[in-house]
Amino acid sequence: MNKYKLYSSTDFLNDDSFIQWLLKSDSDAELYWDTFIEEHPEKKEELDEAVEIFNHFRFSHEELSLDEVFSIWNNVKHQSVNKRTSLLTILKYAAVFLLVFTTGALSYYFYNEADKETEFTIAETEPLNFDEAQIILSDGKSIPLNSKASEIRYDATGDKVIVDNDTINQLVGADKPTTNRVIIPYGKSSQITLSDGTRVWLNAGSQLLYPSVFDKKQREVLLIGEAYFEVEHNEHVPFVVRTEHADVEVLGTSFDVLAYPDDHMFQTVLVTGSVSIESKKSGLLSGKDKMVLVPNQMFYLDKESGVNYINNVEVDSYTSWKEGMFNCNKQDLSRVVRRLERYYNKQIHIKDPLLGTYKISGKLDLKSDISEVLDVLQAFVPIDWGKQQNGDYFIVKPN
Amino acid sequence: MYPNQKEDAKLWKEFLEGNQGALSKIYLTNVNDLYAFGCKFSVDKSLIKDCIQDLFVTLIQTRTKLSPTDNVRAYLFTSLKRKIVRETIRSSKFEQVMERGDYRFEVGFEKLDTQAFENDNYSKKTLAVRSAVESLTSRQKEALYLRFYFGLSHKEIAEVLHLEEQSSRSLISRAVKKVRNVIHSDKKRISNFLFFLFPRLAW
């Protein structure tokens, strides 16, 4: 017998897995509770009440800045006698951490295998400001990217970088690490042409780390967030996009990779050519899985459960962001809103969690103002929206 | 089981074996939660930061004496709280000296957007719920916060509050019932009103 059959709202709130579901619903839990309600409609009232009580609690939240996080850790190192961890290590992990920061979610790490730790060495720079679009060159120099959609181009030798229309020279030593890094905050985007001719569109709230000149054996970049790649074909030198949860390897093709640290999933969509994907740590399952995609297929990985699958998709819906359009095909309102938040760098609160499950299909023009986009959404689904005093937006049920 | 529990436990083990890099990762994943939790005990932000710093220094210095744990988060929360309570008692020279083990815990809520939700029934309820929560004891508030904000299990709450697991359950139950009554009193008022209009129907 299901123990929940006798539960009152208080009992539900005392149940650990119920609370986990409210705080962080994944598809398994969602399915479990949906089925439970279907089978026990008499419990709906108690369950709804439990959710209502829970929803009334919105505690205030204090957060440390990235600067403070570093300085506290630095002090810890100075105060303790056996200090070994370098700031570099912290910086490396912080690369993943910082995006997570603003959302209050938990972070994960890129590098589990020690042998990979040297591949991307970040020059020791002053504490970074991740709210500003910038390119950081191998010598640690940071150049701001001022336009909303910036353009960066490398020549074949990697020592000349053209940002928008300015040319910048950087010294490329053969023995020194030459990792360059582009940081694009929410609300901006960038297009980068790498030294091998590969073109990368970097979406809002993303970072790309790459060498100014590629290695002769392998072309490797590291991505946090979302990017669309048009890889210059070179069958002798594979191109690898490394992300937190999976690596995507190609010879020459175009594809989209979505790997935001604060999303619960990793996905990649293939437009032309072929790619192979190696997922790293698939949640509960350990070991590596290798998958091969053909055009118009999407690989989807749920980070938490490790569940993954390949689907046939309409690629336009996944790559249209680089043209400033956003196609959605039966997507949850909550996911659409998440995209809009990133794109416009605004907070949008869905006041009623049930609203987040509305399915949206259609095409949104992201060039227009955010309020216009919300108006369009309102035409699709029964919602009301408004603007709070602090500049955040909210979505509620219409009266 | 919190999202990073397994990873943290693994790192904790590595740290105990002498790998200090492992602690830096534990620090990074947990420092913001620790800070958010700490801020509920005192408005003195720099005190909270000092306590976090002190906590990790102590961990490094006493590494060989530490024992393995499969719940790093609960351990860190407990240790930080101990430090903060000790420090606040020490620094409150002019205030009334608190009794040993006694402390203040202010939950603090997200700001309500009063303009957008003027006269909105839901917001009124939220306000009523909030004032009900404010009237709870510090320990009840702390338990509610740990449960509804971080999703701590009863086992973890018991550890942080030095309780039996069963007491954590009844602490939450009592607090929730109080909140539920506030939500219900609203519904009751409506039924009283109906009774006034149609007293005969109630027979």
Side-chain angles (χ1 to χ4, degrees), chain A residues 153-170:
Chain A
R153 230 166 52 231
Y154 284 79
D155 68 353
T157 57
D159 53 6
K160 220 178 258 167
V161 192
I162 302 161
V163 177
D164 291 328
N165 286 314
D166 304 325
T167 306
I168 295 142
N169 290 310
Q170 70 171 341

Side-chain angles (χ1 to χ4, degrees), chain B residues 5-62:
Chain B
Q5 188 165 344
K6 262 199 187 144
E7 183 74 15
D8 272 357
K10 196 180 120 230
L11 290 168
W12 184 257
K13 194 166 161 274
E14 284 175 33
F15 166 61
L16 294 191
E17 284 161 3
N19 175 1
Q20 233 182 78
L23 188 69
S24 75
K25 295 182 205 172
I26 292 176
Y27 168 79
L28 269 182
T29 25
N30 290 291
V31 65
N32 247 348
D33 283 354
L34 285 168
Y35 182 68
F37 176 56
C39 286
K40 304 293 183 188
F41 289 95
S42 166
V43 285
D44 185 353
K45 302 262 162 71
S46 60
L47 176 112
I48 309 300
K49 283 188 254 180
D50 287 348
C51 286
I52 293 175
Q53 184 177 318
D54 195 39
L55 165 62
F56 282 89
V57 171
T58 315
L59 288 179
I60 293 173
Q61 284 169 346
T62 60

Side-chain angles (χ1 to χ4, degrees), chain B:
Chain B
M1 193 88 156
Y2 64 92
N4 264 25
Q5 188 165 344
K6 262 199 187 144
E7 183 74 15
D8 272 357
K10 196 180 120 230
L11 290 168
W12 184 257
K13 194 166 161 274
E14 284 175 33
F15 166 61
L16 294 191
E17 284 161 3
N19 175 1
Q20 233 182 78
L23 188 69
S24 75
K25 295 182 205 172
I26 292 176
Y27 168 79
L28 269 182
T29 25
N30 290 291
V31 65
N32 247 348
D33 283 354
L34 285 168
Y35 182 68
F37 176 56
C39 286
K40 304 293 183 188
F41 289 95
S42 166
V43 285
D44 185 353
K45 302 262 162 71
S46 60
L47 176 112
I48 309 300
K49 283 188 254 180
D50 287 348
C51 286
I52 293 175
Q53 184 177 318
D54 195 39
L55 165 62
F56 282 89
V57 171
T58 315
L59 288 179
I60 293 173
Q61 284 169 346
T62 60
R63 178 178 63 81
T64 50
K65 292 180 206 115
L66 298 172
S67 37
T69 173
D70 55 1
N71 199 322
V72 178
R73 178 171 73 173
Y75 178 82
L76 293 176
F77 271 44
T78 312
S79 314
L80 179 67
K81 176 182 158 183
R82 200 185 313 127
K83 280 193 194 294
I84 295 173
V85 171
R86 201 186 300 144
E87 283 307 310
T88 26
I89 290 175
R90 191 182 298 168
S91 61
S92 60
K93 292 166 210 146
F94 301 106
E95 282 183 50
Q96 210 177 337
V97 178
M98 284 187 273
E99 271 179 56
R100 215 183 117 77
D102 193 15
Y103 55 87
R104 226 177 274 157
F105 188 92
E106 298 298 337
V107 274
F109 292 101
E110 234 176 50
K111 279 202 185 71
L112 268 190
D113 186 7
T114 41
Q115 233 177 12
F117 289 99
E118 219 178 344
N119 298 324
D120 155 334
N121 223 344
Y122 187 82
S123 302
K124 270 189 200 153
K125 250 190 219 174
T126 301
L127 286 176
V129 167
R130 286 180 180 190
S131 64
V133 171
E134 300 289 5
S135 72
L136 298 172
T137 66
S138 279
R139 287 168 77 77
Q140 276 178 321
K141 283 190 267 190
E142 187 185 357
L144 274 183
Y145 172 74
L146 289 173
R147 183 140 185 95
F148 290 166
Y149 193 78
F150 291 114
L152 256 63
S153 67
H154 283 296
K155 194 165 167 240
E156 292 173 293
I157 294 176
E159 187 174 337
V160 179
L161 274 90
H162 287 290
L163 292 171
E164 293 298 315
E165 224 178 298
Q166 194 43 46
S167 317
S168 158
R169 248 168 233 285
S170 49
L171 207 61
I172 297 280
S173 296
R174 255 177 286 143
V176 165
K177 275 179 190 145
K178 212 162 173 183
V179 170
R180 211 186 57 166
N181 287 343
V182 171
I183 295 175
H184 273 283
S185 69
D186 223 46
K187 292 179 187 157
K188 217 185 277 165
R189 217 175 300 137
I190 294 172
S191 58
N192 282 345
F193 178 66
L194 287 177
F195 180 76
F196 170 76
L197 282 179
F198 313 104
R200 276 164 201 246
L201 288 180
W203 285 0

Side-chain angles (χ1 to χ4, degrees), chain A residues 53-65:
Chain A
I53 292 172
F54 177 85
N55 279 339
H56 279 298
F57 290 93
R58 282 176 195 274
F59 299 109
S60 58
H61 182 65
E62 299 289 345
E63 225 166 66
L64 291 167
S65 71

